[in-house]
Amino acid sequence: MTPEPARTWVRRHPLAVFFGLAYLFSWSCWIPILVSGGTVRPGVGWPTDLPGLAGPLLAAVVTTAVVDGRPGLAAFWRGVFRWRIGWWWLTVPVVLAAGAIGMLATGAPVSAAGLSEYPGVPADLGPVLTVVVVFVFNGLGEEAGWRGFAAQRMLRDRSLTETALLIALAWIPWHLPLFFIMSTFRGFSPGALVGWSLGLVSGSIVLAWLFRGSRGSVLLVAAWHTAYNFTSATPAASGVPAAVTSTLVMVAAAVILIREWSIRRRVVPAALRRGSPS
C-alpha cells in the first residue's frame, strides 16, 4: 500500500487505527517484560509498566496527525488541557479520593503511606510525586486516548451508552499482558476477574458521562481515573476502601444508564412524532 492510499484508509477508519496502535504501543512495552520474566510490583520502580500506559495517548497523536494534520493536532492538545468547566465537576474526583482516605483515617488497617506503593513507581518518591507520575502516565496517558480521541469521535453519532460499552470492549483485553507481569493482577481468581471487568465497564460509563458533561475535559477524566486507581488499587486502599469505591462506581454507572435510557425513551418517540406526516 503506497503512502497516499494508506493515509486515505486511515482517514476512513480512524477509530480502528487508533485502537490498533494503542495495543501496539502498549504491548510493545509490556511483552518484553513478560518475555524476560520480570514482575511489576507496588513501590518498585523497575521493571515498570508505566510507559505502556501512555500507549493510547501516543496512538491518538499519531492517528490525529495522519487524519487531521497540524490543525487537528493543535485542536487535540487544546482538548487534552481544556479546563473550562464548571467547578462543581471537581467534586467528583475530590470526593472519591477524600472518601477513601477518610476511611483509612478511621480504621483501615493500612496507613495512608501505602498510597506511595503504586505498581511500577519507586516508593521513595513519596505520595505527592507518586500521584504526579501516575496522573501523567495512568491518567493522561490513557484518557487522552480512550476519551480524548475515541469517545470524542464516537459521541458525535453514538449514544453515551454505546460509546462507553464499545470502548470498554477494547479497553478490557488491552490490559491482557498486565495479568502476566503485574504481581497485583497475577493472583486474580475467576470471580475477581469478573468483578474487575464489571468495574472497568462501570468506569467506562462514568468516564464517558464525565467527559461529555464537562464538554470534553481530558484533565477532569484523567483526575477521576487517577483518584479511582489510588482508592481501589493501592495497598492503602485494600479491603474495605477499595470495595466501597468500586461499589460506588458501579452504582453510579447504573444510575447513569437508567437516566440515559429514560431520556432516550422520551426523546426518540418525540422525534418520530415530529417526523410523521400530518
Side-chain angles (χ1 to χ4, degrees):
M1 190 179 290
T2 59
E4 190 55 39
R7 187 176 293 109
T8 299
W9 191 90
V10 172
R11 288 172 176 168
R12 290 177 178 173
H13 308 281
L15 286 169
V17 172
F18 161 74
F19 286 122
L21 288 177
Y23 274 70
L24 175 65
F25 291 146
S26 296
W27 286 24
S28 65
C29 293
W30 297 336
I31 290 178
I33 299 176
L34 172 61
V35 172
S36 66
T39 301
V40 179
R41 303 182 187 278
V44 179
W46 189 260
T48 180
D49 63 315
L50 291 180
L53 295 175
L57 168 61
L58 296 177
V61 169
V62 172
T63 308
T64 300
V66 175
V67 174
D68 300 318
R70 289 186 179 180
L73 274 178
F76 170 78
W77 286 115
R78 285 196 300 270
V80 168
F81 295 105
R82 180 180 298 121
W83 196 251
R84 295 182 61 186
I85 60 175
W87 285 105
W88 72 272
W89 284 100
L90 284 174
T91 60
V92 179
V94 170
V95 169
L96 183 67
I101 292 173
M103 291 185 66
L104 294 174
T106 57
V110 182
S111 70
L115 290 170
S116 298
E117 297 182 24
Y118 199 89
V121 181
D124 55 10
L125 284 183
V128 175
L129 284 179
T130 297
V131 170
V132 172
V133 169
V134 174
F135 176 76
V136 171
F137 285 95
N138 214 162
L140 290 176
E142 287 198 56
E143 292 307 323
W146 302 131
R147 255 55 63 174
F149 183 89
Q152 177 74 32
R153 291 174 179 268
M154 295 170 76
L155 286 170
R156 295 172 185 172
D157 53 11
R158 291 180 173 90
S159 68
L160 182 142
T161 301
E162 183 182 2
T163 294
L165 294 180
L166 287 174
I167 290 177
L169 283 176
W171 199 11
I172 290 173
W174 173 79
H175 289 82
L176 182 60
L178 299 180
F179 285 90
F180 298 94
I181 66 173
M182 293 185 66
S183 62
T184 52
F185 278 26
R186 283 177 176 173
F188 273 24
S189 65
L193 180 59
V194 171
W196 175 85
S197 300
L198 181 58
L200 191 142
V201 171
S202 300
S204 184
I205 293 167
V206 174
L207 285 163
W209 175 75
L210 281 172
F211 183 75
R212 185 188 67 179
S214 63
R215 294 179 292 174
S217 173
V218 172
L219 282 178
L220 177 68
V221 294
W224 189 96
H225 191 150
T226 302
Y228 178 75
N229 281 5
F230 271 100
T231 56
S232 65
T234 58
S238 62
V240 175
V244 170
T245 299
S246 299
T247 300
L248 288 174
V249 171
M250 293 179 189
V251 171
V255 171
I256 291 169
L257 288 180
I258 293 171
R259 183 174 181 275
E260 290 295 311
W261 177 80
S262 177
I263 293 172
R264 188 172 181 82
R265 188 182 179 189
R266 294 195 304 268
V267 171
V268 172
L272 292 175
R273 286 196 299 271
R274 288 195 299 269
S276 62
S278 56

mmCIF file of all heavy atoms in Angstrom, residues 17 59 62 81 95 109 115 130 164 208 253 262:
data_model
loop_
_atom_site.group_PDB
_atom_site.id
_atom_site.type_symbol
_atom_site.label_atom_id
_atom_site.label_comp_id
_atom_site.label_asym_id
_atom_site.label_seq_id
_atom_site.Cartn_x
_atom_site.Cartn_y
_atom_site.Cartn_z
ATOM 1 N N VAL A 17 -7.768 2.333 13.472
ATOM 2 C CA VAL A 17 -6.325 2.586 13.514
ATOM 3 C C VAL A 17 -5.894 2.964 14.927
ATOM 4 O O VAL A 17 -4.874 2.475 15.431
ATOM 5 C CB VAL A 17 -5.949 3.700 12.521
ATOM 6 C CG1 VAL A 17 -4.492 4.114 12.693
ATOM 7 C CG2 VAL A 17 -6.210 3.243 11.093
ATOM 8 N N ALA A 59 -1.091 6.693 20.445
ATOM 9 C CA ALA A 59 -1.945 6.269 19.332
ATOM 10 C C ALA A 59 -2.836 7.409 18.867
ATOM 11 O O ALA A 59 -3.050 7.610 17.665
ATOM 12 C CB ALA A 59 -2.792 5.070 19.751
ATOM 13 N N VAL A 62 -0.634 9.993 16.859
ATOM 14 C CA VAL A 62 -0.271 9.530 15.520
ATOM 15 C C VAL A 62 -1.489 9.534 14.602
ATOM 16 O O VAL A 62 -1.424 10.013 13.459
ATOM 17 C CB VAL A 62 0.339 8.113 15.590
ATOM 18 C CG1 VAL A 62 0.527 7.542 14.187
ATOM 19 C CG2 VAL A 62 1.669 8.153 16.324
ATOM 20 N N PHE A 81 -5.850 19.638 27.416
ATOM 21 C CA PHE A 81 -5.604 20.535 28.546
ATOM 22 C C PHE A 81 -6.752 21.514 28.797
ATOM 23 O O PHE A 81 -6.583 22.502 29.507
ATOM 24 C CB PHE A 81 -4.291 21.292 28.323
ATOM 25 C CG PHE A 81 -3.095 20.391 28.319
ATOM 26 C CD1 PHE A 81 -2.447 20.071 27.128
ATOM 27 C CD2 PHE A 81 -2.637 19.819 29.497
ATOM 28 C CE1 PHE A 81 -1.347 19.217 27.117
ATOM 29 C CE2 PHE A 81 -1.539 18.966 29.493
ATOM 30 C CZ PHE A 81 -0.902 18.661 28.302
ATOM 31 N N VAL A 95 -14.116 14.103 45.960
ATOM 32 C CA VAL A 95 -14.910 13.322 46.909
ATOM 33 C C VAL A 95 -14.505 11.852 46.872
ATOM 34 O O VAL A 95 -14.430 11.175 47.893
ATOM 35 C CB VAL A 95 -16.413 13.486 46.617
ATOM 36 C CG1 VAL A 95 -17.231 12.482 47.413
ATOM 37 C CG2 VAL A 95 -16.857 14.899 46.956
ATOM 38 N N PRO A 109 -6.778 -0.820 58.084
ATOM 39 C CA PRO A 109 -5.560 -1.369 58.681
ATOM 40 C C PRO A 109 -4.267 -0.873 58.062
ATOM 41 O O PRO A 109 -3.212 -1.046 58.629
ATOM 42 C CB PRO A 109 -5.712 -2.874 58.452
ATOM 43 C CG PRO A 109 -6.589 -2.976 57.240
ATOM 44 C CD PRO A 109 -7.535 -1.833 57.339
ATOM 45 N N LEU A 115 -0.239 4.774 49.989
ATOM 46 C CA LEU A 115 -0.545 5.412 48.710
ATOM 47 C C LEU A 115 0.705 5.576 47.861
ATOM 48 O O LEU A 115 0.620 5.778 46.645
ATOM 49 C CB LEU A 115 -1.207 6.776 48.938
ATOM 50 C CG LEU A 115 -2.632 6.743 49.503
ATOM 51 C CD1 LEU A 115 -3.067 8.139 49.911
ATOM 52 C CD2 LEU A 115 -3.606 6.163 48.484
ATOM 53 N N THR A 130 4.405 10.522 43.585
ATOM 54 C CA THR A 130 3.769 9.314 43.054
ATOM 55 C C THR A 130 2.465 9.660 42.365
ATOM 56 O O THR A 130 2.171 9.174 41.265
ATOM 57 C CB THR A 130 3.516 8.294 44.182
ATOM 58 O OG1 THR A 130 4.767 7.891 44.743
ATOM 59 C CG2 THR A 130 2.792 7.068 43.650
ATOM 60 N N ALA A 164 -19.575 4.123 25.587
ATOM 61 C CA ALA A 164 -18.890 3.582 26.759
ATOM 62 C C ALA A 164 -18.680 2.078 26.651
ATOM 63 O O ALA A 164 -17.608 1.567 26.988
ATOM 64 C CB ALA A 164 -19.692 3.903 28.020
ATOM 65 N N ALA A 208 -17.197 8.299 30.413
ATOM 66 C CA ALA A 208 -17.853 8.868 29.231
ATOM 67 C C ALA A 208 -18.837 9.955 29.632
ATOM 68 O O ALA A 208 -18.947 10.993 28.967
ATOM 69 C CB ALA A 208 -18.562 7.760 28.447
ATOM 70 N N ALA A 253 -22.641 4.094 37.721
ATOM 71 C CA ALA A 253 -22.812 3.669 36.333
ATOM 72 C C ALA A 253 -24.250 3.214 36.076
ATOM 73 O O ALA A 253 -24.833 3.530 35.029
ATOM 74 C CB ALA A 253 -21.836 2.539 36.001
ATOM 75 N N SER A 262 -33.880 6.587 30.148
ATOM 76 C CA SER A 262 -35.097 7.370 30.360
ATOM 77 C C SER A 262 -35.173 8.545 29.388
ATOM 78 O O SER A 262 -36.223 8.829 28.804
ATOM 79 C CB SER A 262 -35.138 7.868 31.806
ATOM 80 O OG SER A 262 -36.265 8.689 32.028
#
